[in-house]
Amino acid sequence: MTSIKKIPNVLGTRRSNTLDQEREQFEKAQEASFKKATSDEEMPLKMKHVRNLIIGTFTDKNADLFWRNVGTTPPINTDVTAWKFCHCLHIMLRDGHPNALRDSHRHISRIKDTGQHFRHLTHGYGRLIKRYCELLVAKLHFHQHYPRFPGTLSVTPEELEALAENDANNYFELGVEMLEYLECILNLYEAVFSSLDPSRANSMTRSGQCRLAPLIPCIQDSSCLYDCIVRILFQLHKVPTKSNATIPSLPTDMLTGHRTRFYKQFEILKQFYNNTRNLQYFKGLIQVPALPEDPPNFLVEAELRSHETPVVVVEEQPDMPDTSDMLLIDTSETEPPPIPPHPNLNESHNGSLVEVVAERESLIEALHRELEAMRAEVQHARSEATHNEDQMRLRVNDLESTIAELDSELLAERQSKESIMAQVEAAAASAEAVTLLAQEETRRRSAEEKFVKMKDVYQKLRDEHISLIRGKAELDKQLTVEKEAHHATQQEKDAAASALAKLQAQMTFESQAHLTDTELARQEKESLCSRLQSLTSEREHMSGQIKMLEENLSHLNNKMDSQAQQDAAKLMAVQNEWEVGTQQCVQGAVDGAVLVLTHTLSHFDHDAHTDIKCTPEYSLSYQNIVIESLEGLAKACEDYQINFHAAPRLITCITTSSHQVASFLLYAKATSHASPNIEIAEHLVCALEEFAKSSVDTYKKLQRKEDSVDISSLTEQFERCCLLVSQCEDRSPGEEDVALAVEREMDKMETAIKDAVERFTAMLENSRAKDTGTQLEDERRITYHHPKEFVNESILGTCSDLMAAVRQLVRRGAELQKEIVDSGRGGASPKEFYKRNHRWSEGLLSGAKAVAIACQALMTAADQVVSGKGKFEEVIVSSREIAASSMQLVMASRVKADRSSEKLRNLNATAKTISTLTGTVVATAENCRDKIAIANTLDFSKLSLHHTKRMEMETLVKVLETEKHLEEERSKLSELRKHHYKLAGEIEGWDQEVGATSEFGEQEMIDF
């Protein structure tokens, strides 16, 4: 029983092992197909390997195995493998499993890195790979935004309408996405065709086919995109009607950008299709659609009916058959059926006639055998000629590729010469490189002579190549002549067959005719024999010419090989000479940098330099400059150790960094002379000396081309020096704060006064317009008659005049303050002036703050009085506070001002005007208050004796309470003023004299 129960487990284990083996074989097959598809051989992609990868995506229902193979076998080894990888990925995204698009979104960064890796490659596939990677990223982003689109982009008009949900905004965004996608395809097309040489038949070479093959899926994508874009734009341009008001449309002006962009892409797409249709390589692989001559007019809705969807038919692409298979074509003609004997021959003739007929039949059979032999010889000669033609074509292709390589080598040599000239010109800026410039000039001339010789050799090779092409054309002509001769032989054979048929028809009538026919057949045989001999002689002549061409080709190959070896040796010698000269230039630059730093250190102990002083701010202005130069030096050093061609940049960085470091050393040393802390100055000088010595050691290591050049430690020493320089700064408190505070408070004061003036003006105009407010004669009329007056207009008018005078006082105070600063600071800055006179600055601050606060209080009190919610006493107190604050500001300005200053006289005049206007405001407020009190007086005529006595006692009680409350408020005001001046003196640093002056001025304004 136990053994029976274990049988299913054993069977299950075997089955799982079998599945694992199949999976392992499947993954190996996928990996092998990927490696073969992305091989480094410059030839088109083999579709059987791509089909295997597509089948793998449908087997796994994802593309994880494909991207795993991409990770294990990176396609960026060469530009050819990267180009094939892009082509393979494009086909896989189109025809693979739908989940392949979703799985590829996670690998967009890998595709971008591939494009960035080859973007600096100026020759080969560098620019093509960058364009192709941009196309693939655009395709993935498009499908990520619109996942309902299949990878082939093939949708019906009904499916397109469902995808856009019949919304104009969706149509608009979809059109923008498709136009960007199509633009990436057209950029790739332009890059591919610009990389081809139009003077050669690149579409028939392997390298040309390798570049042109990815355009097949691009044609498929572009045709679907073109159809969808046309339908979307027609949909957006539709005009809604009453019967169908839900049509998604937009104004034509909004769609101008879409139309302009589409018309531009239409011309390029039509050129793309025309160019690919004319290439021999695409004729057997794809049927390229034809676009109309003119683009569709989207403003005419009827043109949508004439729109035809472009159809692309892709033929089955062969997997590069061998050339030997191409030669195994059966070109032999079928043997004509034998001519049957005449049925009445023995019945209508006697015995002699039968013998003649038998003899002629044997003769005809002999002629047939000779014809077959001649046919076989002609067929053999034709096959040999075809084979020789193919061999010559392959040889010519090899010669073309060789010439192309020579062209690239000549171009590289020319670029190397130009780079050498640029480097020599850069090195000639140094005084020590003058002699080297003359040597490099001699070398340049020799290189130019060599280049001219190589150009002559290339011209000779090109002439020989042209002569070979002409020889091939002559061979083609001879082969055509031979084909015509064979055709003539065939016609002669047909004529002989017809003659034999006539001969059999005439056998029944006369024997003499048979003899004549026999003679004619013999003559035809002789002519055929002579024709055969001429064909044989022509074949021998052609064989001799082919041998002669092969000898010329072998001689040309030997000559090209020897010339290439000589050119390589000469190029190596020029390279060695250039490297030696560059190394000498680097050594000269390092010597100059060391000399500059040594000369800078010698100034540290110079007596004349000790009198030079510099501010820390100016020395620290070199901090970012020196750090950038050191970072550039480190980068140039790394590039120089990797690539010898980075020497000019290294020379520039050495020269620049040495001069900037020397400037910093001198200014930092001058900063130490002005430092108030002697200990920090000594530390700074020691750090500067260490930094200079480390810089000299670093430059010497660069001269010896050592690998252990550490620029980071040099940067750390420089930052330490900058820290010590910043510590040399004079850190006296309040310098910048006082100056900024004075400017800020003056600006706030002017802004507050300006707002108050505007507010008073607005309230006055509003009061005059509406004619509202508390009137002196409203419902209660006064017995005597006088002009109608309004409390609002009186209060607002006097307050507006007072605020205008205060605003003028502030302006004249600012002018006087500027005059004081300009006359008192000498050669120092305004900040230093405020620092020296911070007590006076604090007085200005206090006066400005007080004026601003008083203006805000007066504006609020006037607003409350106008609205009937305030008290006239608030207006009186606010106006007196403005007068006191203005007097404080004037007194603070008088302390530093010149007694004979015109601006001081103007300021005093404005202060007197403010005093006068303050009295006017106070008088107006009291007058208005009294008039309102008179207007509100009760009518006592109806009161009795008892009521009068009771109201008198109540009024007396209120008088006593008011007097008591007045005394309490006055004592409270006195205490508040004392506490206020005490806090102001402690916080803002007032002295007793300034405080007494301000208090005296305020008391004077109050008494006034």
Side-chain angles (χ1 to χ4, degrees), residues 248-263:
S249 63
L250 292 175
T252 57
D253 295 337
M254 186 181 296
L255 300 172
T256 303
H258 280 57
R259 292 196 302 271
T260 304
R261 192 174 184 182
F262 173 78
Y263 291 151

Side-chain angles (χ1 to χ4, degrees), residues 207-246:
S207 60
Q209 293 175 1
C210 183
R211 300 190 183 200
L212 294 172
L215 295 181
I216 294 177
C218 293
I219 294 174
Q220 294 175 299
D221 286 351
S222 62
S223 63
C224 297
L225 289 172
Y226 169 78
D227 182 60
C228 293
I229 292 171
V230 171
R231 296 186 182 278
I232 288 171
L233 291 179
F234 271 113
Q235 193 70 26
L236 290 173
H237 284 79
K238 282 185 178 180
V239 180
T241 59
K242 294 182 179 180
S243 61
N244 191 0
T246 61

Side-chain angles (χ1 to χ4, degrees), residues 3 40 90 257 275 379 479-480 586:
S3 62
D40 57 352
H90 193 179
N275 292 338
Q379 183 64 30
L479 182 60
T480 304
V586 172

Side-chain angles (χ1 to χ4, degrees), residues 41 121 299 445 540 585 820 822:
E41 186 177 1
L121 192 63
L299 301 178
R445 291 177 181 174
E540 293 176 353
C585 292
I820 292 170
D822 291 339

Side-chain angles (χ1 to χ4, degrees), residues 392 471-479 542 545-546 549:
M392 291 295 296
K472 175 180 172 298
E474 292 178 359
L475 288 176
D476 292 339
K477 291 181 182 179
Q478 292 177 3
L479 182 60
M542 188 181 299
Q545 289 183 351
I546 291 172
L549 289 174

Side-chain angles (χ1 to χ4, degrees), residues 89-101:
L89 177 60
H90 193 179
I91 298 176
M92 191 269 292
L93 294 177
R94 277 185 52 82
D95 303 328
H97 194 273
N99 291 336
L101 288 168

